[in-house]
Amino acid sequence: MKIGAHVSIAGGVDNAVDRQLDVGGNCGQIFTTSPQVWQEPSIDEEEAASFREQTAEKLEGPWLIHSSYLVNLATPKDDLREKSIASMQAELDAAERLGVQYVNVHLGAHTGAGVEGGLDNAAETLDALDVPDGVQILVESDAGSGTKLGGEFEHLAGVLDRSEQDLGVCLDTAHSFSAGYDLSTEDGVEEAVAEFDDVVGLEHLKALHLNDSKHGRGTNKDEHAHVGEGEIGVEGMTAVLSHPELRDLPFVLETPTENGKSFEWNVDRARELQQDA
């Protein structure tokens, strides 16, 4: 089973490998810099080499780099678009240096441009990027609040269809549930996976963010819960983890640290649910 968590790179990006091992993970996700500010990654070659070597020796992989929260691919504003392109290009270049396979990004909000206009903007922004060989951009599903895109599978398919890049998809279970897809039952998961395959194509699904949701289906609220302890619950999480089209994909946890439960608890819980299915 490929499962891990979003871990810190504090003290050097190479420290992320041991942090991943500490929570029982064998793949995972990182930020290369603070996601709250416009700041390019600062990774020296010694750190990058150590990260690559340790990953090859100790983990099954893959790693994902999560882009800055400030990136907005769908924006109609030229200045924000240029900043988003620069930020994404820096992440892609960092991924190449680190040997990281995926850079994960949200589509962002169209802020009045409309869904179709926002999808056009997102594709144009993505097409302005120089994606290195061996690196792929993953567009992440969203909870769909306000004018944010990615809550509907059609949004993901729309960008994949419009863009000239070889894009993949990262499906976040909490986001998709909050956006309205019923992932709380075995039948619901089966129906959602079938719909994703019909609309987007399962061949494009490369990773999952495995998060339960603190809020109900269709609320468009993005707040993560421990695996099996939110509104998706044990049945839904088990169905996701054991689904034949999903079970071999990398699962990355972005669960909270609260109530005495950390990433390690969630990694163990996910493995237990998959094995018991």
Side-chain angles (χ1 to χ4, degrees), residues 58-268:
K58 301 176 181 180
L59 301 179
E60 293 181 37
W63 283 105
L64 285 69
I65 289 174
H66 196 299
S67 66
S68 168
Y69 293 142
L70 301 180
V71 167
N72 187 347
L73 303 180
T75 183
K77 300 176 182 177
D78 290 341
D79 58 341
L80 180 53
R81 178 177 182 270
E82 292 306 313
K83 287 181 178 179
S84 297
I85 290 170
S87 179
M88 281 294 294
Q89 189 63 58
E91 300 288 18
L92 292 165
D93 294 341
E96 182 181 32
R97 292 181 64 205
L98 293 170
V100 169
Q101 188 172 354
Y102 299 122
V103 173
N104 184 78
V105 65
H106 295 269
L107 290 176
H110 67 70
T111 61
V115 171
E116 296 303 314
L119 294 175
D120 288 342
N121 292 339
E124 289 175 11
T125 304
L126 289 165
D127 288 348
L129 298 169
D130 181 11
V131 182
D133 291 341
V135 180
Q136 186 176 33
I137 298 171
L138 302 187
V139 179
E140 183 181 344
S141 62
D142 199 274
S145 62
T147 67
K148 290 182 179 178
L149 300 176
E152 299 177 22
F153 293 160
E154 284 79 7
H155 297 169
L156 304 174
V159 170
L160 266 62
D161 288 344
R162 286 168 168 80
S163 177
E164 296 176 0
Q165 303 282 14
D166 178 22
L167 304 173
V169 173
C170 175
L171 195 66
D172 186 305
T173 51
H175 294 173
S176 292
F177 178 75
S178 186
Y181 295 94
D182 184 9
L183 302 179
S184 65
T185 67
E186 185 175 353
D187 287 346
V189 169
E190 187 64 46
E191 183 176 335
V193 171
E195 183 174 347
F196 182 92
D197 191 27
D198 183 56
V199 174
V200 183
L202 281 165
E203 67 273 15
H204 298 297
L205 184 60
K206 304 299 181 180
L208 291 100
H209 283 169
L210 187 72
N211 303 303
D212 210 324
S213 174
K214 289 187 177 181
H215 302 283
R217 175 188 173 197
T219 58
N220 303 119
K221 293 182 178 180
D222 179 10
E223 193 174 5
H224 300 172
H226 296 299
V227 172
E229 299 205 342
E231 295 296 319
I232 296 176
V234 171
E235 181 182 346
M237 284 280 125
T238 301
V240 169
L241 285 159
S242 61
H243 193 285
E245 297 288 355
L246 308 180
R247 62 177 294 122
D248 294 328
L249 293 170
F251 294 98
V252 176
L253 295 157
E254 300 170 322
T255 46
T257 298
E258 60 186 16
N259 302 325
K261 298 181 176 72
S262 62
F263 283 139
E264 185 176 6
W265 184 92
N266 283 278
V267 168
D268 290 343

